[in-house]
Amino acid sequence: MRAVQCSFCGTAAFYRREYEGVSLCQKCFKRSIEDKVRVTISEHKMFGPRDHIAVAVSGGKDSLSLLSILSKLKTKFPLSKLTAITIDEGIQGYGDEAISLAKAMAESLNIEHRIFSFRELFQVTLDEIVKRQTKLAPCSYCGVLRRRALEKAARTIGAGKIASGHNLDDEVQTALLNILHGGVERLARTGPVLVDPEQRFIPRVKPLCGLYEREIALYGYLTGIEFQRIPCPHRNRALRNDVRDVLNALEEKHPGLKHTAYSSKLKLGDLLGDRKIRLNSCKICGEWTGRDLCEVCKILVQNQKLECLTREA
Amino acid sequence: MRAVQCSFCGTAAFYRREYEGVSLCQKCFKRSIEDKVRVTISEHKMFGPRDHIAVAVSGGKDSLSLLSILSKLKTKFPLSKLTAITIDEGIQGYGDEAISLAKAMAESLNIEHRIFSFRELFQVTLDEIVKRQTKLAPCSYCGVLRRRALEKAARTIGAGKIASGHNLDDEVQTALLNILHGGVERLARTGPVLVDPEQRFIPRVKPLCGLYEREIALYGYLTGIEFQRIPCPHRNRALRNDVRDVLNALEEKHPGLKHTAYSSKLKLGDLLGDRKIRLNSCKICGEWTGRDLCEVCKILVQNQKLECLTREA
């Protein structure tokens, strides 16, 4: 019996990429992942040669792989700049490991690393918020605050772009959740590149949006990236987990289905995207919002109210 | 232990409708199904009091239940008219039973029943087409020809509406397939009511679009509807079956999810629906089409070519 050969270099293959019908050796696999990121960046015109990019690094496999790959690609763009940003949400027994992994990776790549905390930016931690506010899932509060925190962080360091490690699975899951769980208008606001034509927000890009989650995990393993393996203690995403399982099962039987689904999502986003949203200044913080108060201030105001009630009780 | 009571009349319940949090006795279940159809019809303004409605009756549980329910609702609209239409696609060992079930049901309801065949309308049967043409799945050819056959049948009998038995599961599966498998632009053309503003096509309505497939099956069972149980021999819808399983599993864990998904689909359809499609006359049959040849003539032309090739060989 002959071993399966790498479709590119002919040495022994270790991985079968079913959706492309190719077999890959470790070296060609790693290169293919980096190539795919390069193609995604170029296809969506994510970066210019002089960009200062704030890379959101949580300490998970996706964001650490992103930082590592961008740092390799940067060698061809000497006038560009990368800064790793880690948001410390204030999650006991979870945040510290994530931060030290992010810090170690940035150091090893010789990239400046900055930490911004919910405590410092919003005077409250995520643990405190989810102890008081239970109307929504913890991830909903965290998502709103993290987005704002990254925006503030990028402005503080003078970055012109924010890059995050969202992968193909994340994007397809979110799209499907928006459909299965309501919220289709969000499809227009979750593309690989989010640019505000009126420049009120710093552009956000997702260079890993074409990569399967499991291939990033494999890439991380092969390149020796140390990433956080324990899940966030607040994580409770019943429907998202089900949607993940469902998509994985469908992909298994119909290789490439996640890619087709992602193309559909992008097409829908384009078709829906023409409708401009009028934004006002939030009456509390002055940030742009579709309502009177922005989502961040709504959370913080509610938190203050509940804090006062607890004190009075 | 006390038996569970019907949430409406207090007698013994036999069915739990999880997504509404109610238990139902047989009588209230049947009434609730008929009520839901009535509400769907009125919500989407499907019919006027003097409509002549062509009801597409295949012989399956959905279309037979539709005919039965519409016939009950008709008693309140004495000026309206129902005609049952069965399309004989020419499928050996399958069509005959379907036709006789449709015929028996129409007779028992005192509704005129008309049969139109692919042979008569297109000079070819589905069996002949799928024997020669294998590029697409049989359902793709059948779908295109059935749509045209229904349109021709409705015009022939002078009907002003075509009603079909598509249920909630069908609609959500199709929407999800359009997303997972490509074809999102079709989301705009698959609502509960399809009206051509330029009146080139007879309006199509789906009065069962708010009903779960399994509840229609239960309704059919309780009301003694004899429906066709053997599946079509050409049926081979691998991905649709997987999508069906997936949606059923998700609905089981998250009751009501299919309804939310359907609302999303309708919202997307509305958002996408503004874009008007320019149509021309098909160069062969003169029917409206977005291209030079309509889909029906493309199939028929290809069929003739293949038939000639077979003869020459």
Side-chain angles (χ1 to χ4, degrees):
Chain A
M1 206 177 83
R2 241 176 88 200
V4 177
Q5 291 182 321
C6 172
S7 311
F8 296 95
C9 72
T11 62
F14 91 112
Y15 178 72
R16 174 77 184 165
R17 181 177 280 156
E18 210 53 67
Y19 68 94
E20 286 179 347
V22 296
S23 300
L24 295 152
C25 71
Q26 294 197 9
K27 204 173 147 193
C28 289
F29 173 81
K30 280 190 278 184
R31 203 184 40 220
S32 81
I33 292 293
E34 289 155 14
D35 280 353
K36 278 176 189 291
V37 176
R38 205 175 30 73
V39 168
T40 299
I41 289 172
S42 130
E43 191 185 331
H44 297 286
K45 300 185 180 63
M46 287 183 172
F47 302 126
R50 288 160 185 274
D51 268 348
H52 178 186
I53 304 159
V55 187
V57 182
S58 67
K61 64 180 182 325
D62 301 311
S63 61
L64 291 174
S65 299
L66 173 65
L67 190 65
S68 164
I69 295 171
L70 288 184
S71 135
K72 283 191 188 180
L73 298 178
K74 189 194 169 302
T75 53
K76 290 193 188 153
F77 302 98
L79 297 178
S80 70
K81 186 180 171 188
L82 296 177
T83 304
I85 303 284
T86 301
I87 305 298
D88 179 1
E89 300 93 354
I91 304 172
Q92 186 103 48
Y94 174 74
D96 291 349
E97 192 200 1
I99 292 168
S100 68
L101 286 165
K103 203 173 157 213
M105 170 65 99
E107 254 176 34
S108 78
L109 298 169
N110 205 18
I111 292 171
E112 188 188 352
H113 182 237
R114 298 281 301 270
I115 302 165
F116 294 80
S117 69
F118 278 12
R119 163 73 67 212
E120 160 197 9
L121 296 168
F122 309 121
Q123 287 75 54
V124 64
T125 66
L126 186 70
D127 280 349
E128 288 163 0
I129 287 172
V130 301
K131 209 169 62 189
R132 292 185 195 119
Q133 302 191 48
T134 50
K135 204 177 149 194
L136 303 176
C139 298
S140 302
Y141 299 112
C142 191
V144 169
L145 297 176
R146 267 184 66 82
R147 251 191 310 282
R148 174 67 57 82
L150 282 170
E151 176 80 20
K152 285 193 175 211
R155 286 181 196 165
T156 304
I157 64 164
K161 296 268 166 76
I162 298 169
S164 66
H166 292 90
N167 60 44
L168 180 65
D169 292 64
D170 294 332
E171 297 296 283
V172 177
Q173 283 161 25
T174 302
L176 214 53
L177 278 169
N178 288 337
I179 291 163
L180 295 176
H181 207 222
V184 287
E185 51 293 321
R186 270 181 231 127
L187 289 170
R189 289 184 264 136
T190 51
V193 176
L194 280 179
V195 178
D196 178 16
E198 300 179 41
Q199 301 189 317
R200 294 163 298 194
F201 304 106
I202 294 175
R204 288 161 179 265
V205 298
K206 299 171 183 168
L208 306 190
C209 67
L211 296 183
Y212 284 84
E213 183 169 17
R214 64 161 186 230
E215 294 203 350
I216 301 175
L218 191 51
Y219 177 86
Y221 171 75
L222 293 177
T223 52
I225 292 173
E226 282 278 337
F227 57 85
Q228 192 168 40
R229 284 156 201 276
I230 53 161
C232 173
H234 297 305
R235 179 173 152 140
N236 174 17
R237 302 186 290 178
L239 186 54
R240 181 177 280 269
N241 287 339
D242 289 340
V243 166
R244 168 185 293 125
D245 293 346
V246 152
L247 283 169
N248 286 341
L250 286 175
E251 173 76 28
E252 190 71 36
K253 287 182 77 173
H254 311 276
L257 176 134
K258 285 180 192 170
H259 275 295
T260 323
Y262 189 53
S263 303
S264 293
K265 175 229 169 323
L266 294 184
K267 225 185 264 179
L268 282 175
D270 282 350
L271 290 169
L272 300 176
D274 290 343
R275 305 168 318 128
K276 279 210 176 127
I277 304 161
R278 273 187 59 134
L279 296 182
N280 326 303
S281 286
C282 168
K283 285 190 174 164
I284 293 180
C285 72
E287 290 284 345
W288 295 103
T289 171
R291 320 226 170 163
D292 279 352
L293 290 190
C294 72
E295 292 300 309
V296 172
C297 287
K298 267 191 221 160
I299 295 174
L300 299 178
V301 164
Q302 181 65 10
N303 189 62
Q304 276 165 2
K305 274 190 203 159
L306 292 168
E307 200 184 352
C308 291
L309 280 175
T310 325
R311 271 201 216 126
E312 281 166 16
Chain B
M1 207 177 82
R2 242 176 87 198
V4 177
Q5 290 181 322
C6 172
S7 311
F8 295 95
C9 71
T11 61
F14 90 113
Y15 178 72
R16 174 79 183 161
R17 181 177 281 156
E18 209 53 69
Y19 68 94
E20 285 180 346
V22 297
S23 300
L24 295 151
C25 71
Q26 295 197 8
K27 203 172 149 193
C28 289
F29 173 81
K30 280 190 277 184
R31 203 181 42 219
S32 81
I33 292 294
E34 289 155 13
D35 280 352
K36 278 176 189 291
V37 176
R38 206 175 30 72
V39 168
T40 299
I41 290 172
S42 131
E43 192 184 330
H44 297 287
K45 300 185 181 61
M46 288 184 172
F47 302 126
R50 287 162 184 273
D51 269 348
H52 178 186
I53 305 160
V55 187
V57 182
S58 68
K61 65 181 182 323
D62 300 311
S63 62
L64 291 174
S65 299
L66 173 65
L67 189 65
S68 164
I69 295 171
L70 288 184
S71 135
K72 283 192 188 179
L73 297 178
K74 188 193 169 304
T75 54
K76 290 193 188 153
F77 302 99
L79 298 177
S80 68
K81 186 180 170 188
L82 296 177
T83 304
I85 302 283
T86 301
I87 305 299
D88 179 1
E89 300 92 354
I91 304 172
Q92 186 103 47
Y94 175 74
D96 292 349
E97 192 200 0
I99 292 168
S100 68
L101 286 165
K103 202 173 158 216
M105 170 65 101
E107 254 174 35
S108 78
L109 298 170
N110 205 18
I111 292 172
E112 189 189 351
H113 181 236
R114 296 283 300 272
I115 302 166
F116 293 79
S117 70
F118 279 12
R119 163 73 66 212
E120 159 198 9
L121 296 169
F122 310 121
Q123 288 75 53
V124 65
T125 66
L126 187 70
D127 280 349
E128 288 164 359
I129 287 172
V130 302
K131 207 167 63 185
R132 293 185 193 119
Q133 302 192 47
T134 50
K135 206 177 148 193
L136 303 176
C139 298
S140 302
Y141 299 112
C142 191
V144 168
L145 297 177
R146 268 184 64 84
R147 251 193 310 283
R148 173 67 57 80
L150 282 170
E151 177 80 20
K152 285 193 175 211
R155 286 182 197 164
T156 304
I157 63 164
K161 297 269 167 73
I162 298 169
S164 66
H166 291 89
N167 60 44
L168 180 65
D169 292 64
D170 294 330
E171 296 297 281
V172 176
Q173 283 161 24
T174 302
L176 214 54
L177 277 169
N178 288 338
I179 291 164
L180 295 177
H181 208 223
V184 288
E185 51 292 322
R186 271 181 230 127
L187 290 170
R189 291 184 263 138
T190 51
V193 176
L194 280 180
V195 178
D196 178 15
E198 300 180 42
Q199 300 189 317
R200 294 163 298 194
F201 304 106
I202 294 176
R204 287 161 180 266
V205 299
K206 299 170 183 168
L208 307 189
C209 67
L211 296 183
Y212 284 84
E213 184 169 16
R214 63 160 187 230
E215 294 203 350
I216 301 175
L218 192 51
Y219 178 86
Y221 172 75
L222 292 177
T223 52
I225 292 173
E226 282 279 336
F227 57 85
Q228 191 167 40
R229 283 156 201 276
I230 54 161
C232 173
H234 297 306
R235 181 173 151 138
N236 173 16
R237 303 186 290 178
L239 186 54
R240 181 178 280 269
N241 287 339
D242 289 340
V243 166
R244 168 184 294 126
D245 292 347
V246 151
L247 282 169
N248 286 342
L250 286 174
E251 172 75 31
E252 190 70 36
K253 287 182 77 172
H254 310 276
L257 177 134
K258 285 181 193 170
H259 275 295
T260 323
Y262 189 54
S263 304
S264 293
K265 175 228 168 324
L266 294 185
K267 225 186 261 179
L268 283 175
D270 282 349
L271 290 169
L272 300 177
D274 290 343
R275 304 169 318 128
K276 279 212 178 122
I277 304 161
R278 272 188 61 135
L279 297 182
N280 326 303
S281 285
C282 169
K283 286 190 174 163
I284 294 181
C285 71
E287 289 284 346
W288 295 103
T289 171
R291 320 227 169 161
D292 279 352
L293 291 190
C294 73
E295 291 301 309
V296 171
C297 287
K298 267 191 222 160
I299 295 173
L300 298 179
V301 165
Q302 181 64 12
N303 189 62
Q304 277 166 2
K305 275 189 201 160
L306 293 169
E307 200 184 351
C308 291
L309 281 175
T310 325
R311 272 202 215 127
E312 282 165 15

